[in-house]
Amino acid sequence: MKAIQVVNYGGPEVAKVQTADVPSRNPKEVLVRVVASSINPVDIKHMTPNTIQKIDHFPKVLGWDVTGVVMEADQDSDFKAGDRVTAMHPQGSWQQILAIAENELVKLPDAINFAAGASIPLAAVTALQALEKLQLKQDETLLVTGATGSVGGYAVQIAKQKGFSVAGLVRSTAQKEIVQQWSVDEVYTNEEKIPVFDAVFDTAGFLERTDFIKQGGKLITVSDDAISRKLEKHSLFAEHNYVSINQSDLQQAVDFTLAGKLQTRVTAIYSMNEIQTALKHAS
């Protein structure tokens, strides 16, 4: 089979399409033929030298998101050959065939195409888990920074579906229109006066500012940057979010998408052999 392997730290040029062994399937695992994956910021960070993200050995297959078709499963499995599936499969999704634990997989409805489905697992599950950590009450207000990004975009939509008062923070006025389509209560740019919020879900690295979070408010961030001591002292809690594989969270994200409560976004579609071009686009 073919796999996209990162052969060293660097830019898009270090990602190569190579021949690799087909993985063997253990009991309670499902063999999946991959149809689509995605490029996430964490993949770029892993490839880039001198970041907090490290690669333990080379060559390395990256990628977190998977959609595909089941090739083989246990006889008593909930999955059978031909089933459409999706999963969050950290560090290893950029290859043609995967062995994935059955309890990490979710069936992908026919109404969600493979490319759209591959945009869901990492970003939507990250958003779900971060919002859960914030422990929002119905009368509390939420600001999502980086609201046009994949995680931020899902967070805005999920929070609205759960009935919270949600605003977005974006870089420019031109980006406001993207977030407004999700029926948020307000969208701000950095140049505007931003009111204080009870809680902030930070996807953009605003870890020094306290002006838009109330004294004793709450913050969760997906940034790798350190949270400033000033922000920690200002807040009830200010913590990093580290996503974990969770089948029920992924199922919830898929159900939301199927019901039209989550809008997926696919910027472009590339073949495996176009990985370097795709990485340039994503960087």
Side-chain angles (χ1 to χ4, degrees):
M1 70 168 188
K2 299 295 184 183
I4 297 168
Q5 296 180 338
V6 174
V7 298
N8 208 334
Y9 289 116
E13 73 282 352
V14 303
K16 312 280 189 182
V17 178
Q18 313 266 38
T19 299
D21 294 333
V22 174
S24 57
R25 182 183 70 84
N26 296 315
K28 302 297 183 183
E29 288 185 336
V30 176
L31 206 62
V32 176
R33 184 175 297 281
V34 177
V35 175
S37 185
S38 67
I39 297 172
N40 285 291
V42 68
D43 300 310
I44 306 294
K45 290 177 183 176
H46 269 93
M47 294 171 57
T48 305
N50 305 315
T51 70
I52 194 171
Q53 308 289 351
K54 304 298 180 186
I55 293 178
D56 53 4
H57 67 274
F58 294 104
K60 181 74 171 182
V61 177
L62 300 181
W64 284 62
D65 297 317
V66 176
T67 55
V69 178
V70 172
M71 300 171 63
E72 183 183 303
D74 292 343
Q75 283 193 338
D76 61 350
S77 172
D78 291 334
F79 300 92
K80 65 182 186 303
D83 282 348
R84 303 169 85 251
V85 291
T86 184
M88 184 169 72
H89 186 73
Q91 303 296 56
S93 296
W94 294 351
Q95 56 188 45
Q96 290 180 316
I97 298 173
L98 288 172
I100 303 176
E102 181 178 333
N103 62 6
E104 297 176 7
L105 278 172
V106 166
K107 291 182 181 177
L108 184 70
D110 290 343
I112 302 174
N113 67 54
F114 287 113
S119 75
I120 296 171
L122 176 59
V125 170
T126 297
L128 275 166
Q129 293 178 356
L131 291 170
E132 184 67 25
K133 284 184 180 180
L134 281 171
Q135 301 171 3
L136 290 169
K137 299 180 177 64
Q138 285 299 319
D139 62 344
E140 291 183 321
T141 56
L142 171 69
L143 177 68
V144 178
T145 73
T148 56
S150 55
V151 175
Y154 280 131
V156 165
Q157 295 179 73
I158 292 167
K160 285 302 297 182
Q161 290 301 325
K162 291 180 178 290
F164 297 116
S165 175
V166 187
L169 180 61
V170 297
R171 287 194 306 267
S172 66
T173 302
Q175 291 182 321
K176 280 189 172 186
E177 199 171 305
I178 298 172
V179 183
Q180 286 166 341
Q181 68 183 312
W182 299 320
S183 302
V184 296
D185 297 282
E186 190 57 78
V187 188
Y188 303 95
T189 68
N190 282 327
E191 288 72 37
E192 296 174 313
K193 181 173 176 55
I194 305 169
V196 294
F197 290 84
D198 297 296
V200 174
F201 178 28
D202 170 64
T203 73
F206 289 107
L207 302 178
E208 297 280 346
R209 293 176 61 172
T210 59
D211 56 299
F212 48 59
I213 181 169
K214 78 172 188 180
Q215 184 78 40
K218 301 173 285 189
L219 178 137
I220 293 291
T221 183
V222 294
S223 170
D224 291 326
D225 296 336
I227 298 170
S228 71
R229 182 67 181 144
K230 178 177 72 171
L231 181 55
E232 287 180 333
K233 293 173 82 171
H234 180 85
S235 308
L236 175 65
F237 66 79
E239 300 174 1
H240 289 88
N241 176 76
Y242 300 101
V243 67
S244 60
I245 295 171
N246 186 297
Q247 188 182 42
S248 63
D249 286 343
L250 179 54
Q251 184 67 65
Q252 184 179 359
V254 170
D255 290 345
F256 273 165
T257 305
L258 183 62
K261 297 177 180 179
L262 278 188
Q263 178 185 330
T264 61
R265 290 176 293 159
V266 177
T267 302
I269 297 174
Y270 295 92
S271 71
M272 180 179 260
N273 289 329
E274 296 174 303
I275 182 59
Q276 294 184 3
T277 302
L279 285 165
K280 289 175 184 175
H281 186 171
S283 298

